[in-house]
Amino acid sequence: MTSPITIEPVTDKKGRARFVDLGRAIAARVPFSVPQIRSEQLELVDPDKNPLFGHTKAQLFLAIRDGKPVGRISAQIDELALKMPPEQGFGPGTGMFGYFDAADEAVAKALMEAAEGWLKAQKMTRVLGPISMAMWEEPGLLVKGHDHPPMVMMGHHPPHYQAWIEGAGYTRAKTLFTYDLDITGEFPPLVQRIVKSGERNERITIRQVNRKRWDEDAAIVLSILNDAWSDNWGFVPFTPEEVEHGGKKLKPIIKEDLNMIAEVDGRPVAFMLVFPDVNHVLARIKGKLFPFGWFHLLRWLRNPRGGGMRVPLMGVLKEFQNSRLASQLAFMMISYIRENATGKYGSHRGEIGWILEDNQGMVAIADTIKSEINREYAIYEKSLV
């Protein structure tokens, strides 16, 4: 007979460490998974270190069998998400589950029931997931693209999780795509013409971010993001505390010539961020900084040659969207960053994502530069009434 499963709420620092370590142990058995830095993972679930908890209430759970942890899940409620229009994904009564890992389907079922029960007790009527722990962190379950490693800040999950979640009564609410792109060749003639037309427009200036004033540039980027993405499904605005925290966390992987801000008449109106794929080195050091992993990581961050490049975020202020100017800004930034990525860093591959399946503007850009979908993430929903 199978031993009984007990679900235990995580209530302290020791419990959070067990929660993170279980996730790391399960991920280590998943083909192509890339181990992440443990201290970074601990910080994400620490209410004293992650400013997300300034507006999010969460409960972590561990599944225990025969005295050993065999699964984990989070249940969370974002007060800012509750205030969003329901047609944009969240809205009143919508909670989330995330950090989902389980040894088998029985464990998975017990964990989801625990998360749902906690959300119901908080008077939630609907649940979205998996979202770990916010839309800006790792949204969605990987349902396509298990045959290659993820890039920086991308989730990677076993294929069988999909059946377990769907078997628990969840249906797909939204699909997120990532697009793969060979960046060694020239862009299509149409893109080149758009770039040249933008370069003739004296109103447009494309500049690199400045690490010496990164706090200021990070605030500019996230201010544009809060406006540009505000109508998107799943959008939740960044708070000032999250802007400050995020800027500090991103600074070590920011390369000035891979990140651009576009200005019109001297006013910042668009941006594009590109991160060198630090997973390239984390896989080699197995996510461990000690005893010598920190040396290899720092050396690579100084000169991240040969790895891929990920475009996690780009945006144009809403007042310029769906205009010729917006396409000029976007393709100019893409073109300049591609040249720097290949010429200076020897990169040959780029990945754009996440992109909502119905984000027509970003899908059109991805199609125009001849990129192809290589990973697909599903966000599921379920009624709690």
Side-chain angles (χ1 to χ4, degrees), residues 25-164:
I26 291 177
R29 301 193 292 268
V30 180
F32 300 105
S33 180
V34 178
Q36 300 298 296
I37 297 173
R38 183 174 183 267
S39 60
E40 296 289 325
Q41 293 178 304
L42 284 169
E43 185 173 306
L44 287 172
V45 295
D46 189 337
D48 294 328
K49 295 183 178 180
N50 186 346
L52 174 73
F53 288 95
H55 53 87
T56 298
K57 179 192 301 185
Q59 178 61 62
L60 309 180
F61 294 97
L62 282 168
I64 308 297
R65 179 192 281 151
D66 295 330
K68 298 179 181 179
V70 290
R72 66 175 191 164
I73 200 169
S74 68
Q76 62 264 15
I77 301 168
D78 187 332
E79 295 296 332
L80 297 181
L82 296 180
K83 297 175 182 177
M84 299 305 296
E87 62 269 19
Q88 286 185 231
F90 289 113
T94 300
M96 293 170 271
F97 80 87
Y99 289 111
F100 171 75
D101 283 299
D104 56 47
E105 189 168 7
V107 172
K109 183 175 183 291
L111 286 167
M112 284 185 277
E113 287 176 350
E116 292 164 13
W118 184 85
L119 291 169
K120 287 180 183 179
Q122 305 295 317
K123 302 190 185 306
M124 295 295 104
T125 57
R126 175 172 170 262
V127 56
L128 285 173
I131 298 172
S132 306
M133 166 171 303
M135 286 294 291
W136 299 112
E137 292 175 3
E138 287 189 8
L141 178 80
L142 181 68
V143 294
K144 175 185 176 182
H146 300 91
D147 58 349
H148 60 280
M151 279 200 176
V152 56
M153 298 180 184
M154 301 291 289
H156 193 78
H157 315 105
H160 50 263
Y161 282 4
Q162 181 178 1
W164 293 354

Side-chain angles (χ1 to χ4, degrees), residues 320-381:
F320 294 98
Q321 292 175 6
N322 302 315
S323 70
R324 183 185 181 196
L325 192 62
S327 64
Q328 291 173 330
L329 300 173
F331 286 121
M332 289 172 73
M333 290 188 291
I334 292 170
S335 181
Y336 298 164
I337 292 172
R338 185 200 70 83
E339 291 175 6
N340 293 336
T342 56
K344 182 175 179 178
Y345 298 101
S347 184
H348 63 275
R349 175 178 169 247
E351 190 171 279
I352 308 169
W354 299 275
I355 295 177
L356 286 164
E357 58 184 328
D358 51 5
N359 185 334
Q360 297 179 354
M362 285 304 304
V363 170
I365 288 175
D367 289 342
T368 301
I369 58 177
K370 306 300 182 184
S371 57
E372 297 182 354
I373 295 171
N374 70 321
R375 295 171 77 82
E376 183 178 315
Y377 294 82
I379 296 178
Y380 291 91
E381 65 182 340

Side-chain angles (χ1 to χ4, degrees), residues 135-139 150-155 176-181 183 229 250 253-254 258-259 272-279 300 307-314 337 341 347 349-355 374-375 377:
M135 286 294 291
W136 299 112
E137 292 175 3
E138 287 189 8
M151 279 200 176
V152 56
M153 298 180 184
M154 301 291 289
L176 308 174
F177 296 137
T178 64
Y179 287 80
D180 184 77
L181 174 67
I183 61 174
W229 286 42
L250 291 177
I253 62 173
I254 290 293
L258 295 176
N259 298 273
M272 179 175 171
L273 298 185
V274 173
F275 299 158
D277 184 24
V278 69
N279 281 2
W300 185 84
M309 299 287 175
R310 183 187 168 208
V311 184
L313 295 170
M314 64 183 298
I337 292 172
S347 184
R349 175 178 169 247
E351 190 171 279
I352 308 169
W354 299 275
I355 295 177
N374 70 321
R375 295 171 77 82
Y377 294 82

Side-chain angles (χ1 to χ4, degrees), residues 175-364:
T175 302
L176 308 174
F177 296 137
T178 64
Y179 287 80
D180 184 77
L181 174 67
D182 179 351
I183 61 174
T184 59
E186 293 289 341
F187 283 136
L190 173 62
V191 175
Q192 296 181 46
R193 289 196 297 271
I194 293 173
V195 171
K196 289 179 181 178
S197 70
E199 291 173 338
R200 292 192 295 268
N201 189 334
E202 296 180 354
R203 300 176 62 200
I204 295 176
T205 301
I206 307 293
R207 68 170 178 87
Q208 301 177 4
V209 301
N210 188 335
R211 278 179 57 88
K212 293 181 179 179
R213 60 173 194 181
W214 170 240
D215 290 347
E216 178 184 336
D217 276 352
I220 289 172
V221 164
L222 294 175
S223 174
I224 295 172
L225 180 67
N226 271 346
D227 176 85
W229 286 42
S230 60
D231 293 334
N232 283 8
W233 189 95
F235 173 79
V236 178
F238 279 101
T239 65
E241 294 78 14
E242 288 173 301
V243 170
E244 180 181 2
H245 180 78
K248 290 178 180 178
K249 298 299 292 184
L250 291 177
K251 189 173 182 178
I253 62 173
I254 290 293
K255 296 298 178 183
E256 292 179 323
D257 47 5
L258 295 176
N259 298 273
M260 304 282 180
I261 293 175
E263 300 176 346
V264 174
D265 299 327
R267 174 191 172 202
V269 301
F271 74 92
M272 179 175 171
L273 298 185
V274 173
F275 299 158
D277 184 24
V278 69
N279 281 2
H280 180 73
V281 67
L282 290 179
R284 293 208 317 265
I285 66 175
K286 298 181 179 179
K288 297 178 180 179
L289 292 179
F290 299 102
F292 303 113
W294 63 271
F295 171 76
H296 296 289
L297 181 60
L298 288 177
R299 184 173 66 176
W300 185 84
L301 286 173
R302 290 193 188 100
N303 184 26
R305 286 192 59 83
M309 299 287 175
R310 183 187 168 208
V311 184
L313 295 170
M314 64 183 298
V316 180
L317 289 179
K318 284 194 293 186
E319 64 188 90
F320 294 98
Q321 292 175 6
N322 302 315
S323 70
R324 183 185 181 196
L325 192 62
S327 64
Q328 291 173 330
L329 300 173
F331 286 121
M332 289 172 73
M333 290 188 291
I334 292 170
S335 181
Y336 298 164
I337 292 172
R338 185 200 70 83
E339 291 175 6
N340 293 336
T342 56
K344 182 175 179 178
Y345 298 101
S347 184
H348 63 275
R349 175 178 169 247
E351 190 171 279
I352 308 169
W354 299 275
I355 295 177
L356 286 164
E357 58 184 328
D358 51 5
N359 185 334
Q360 297 179 354
M362 285 304 304
V363 170

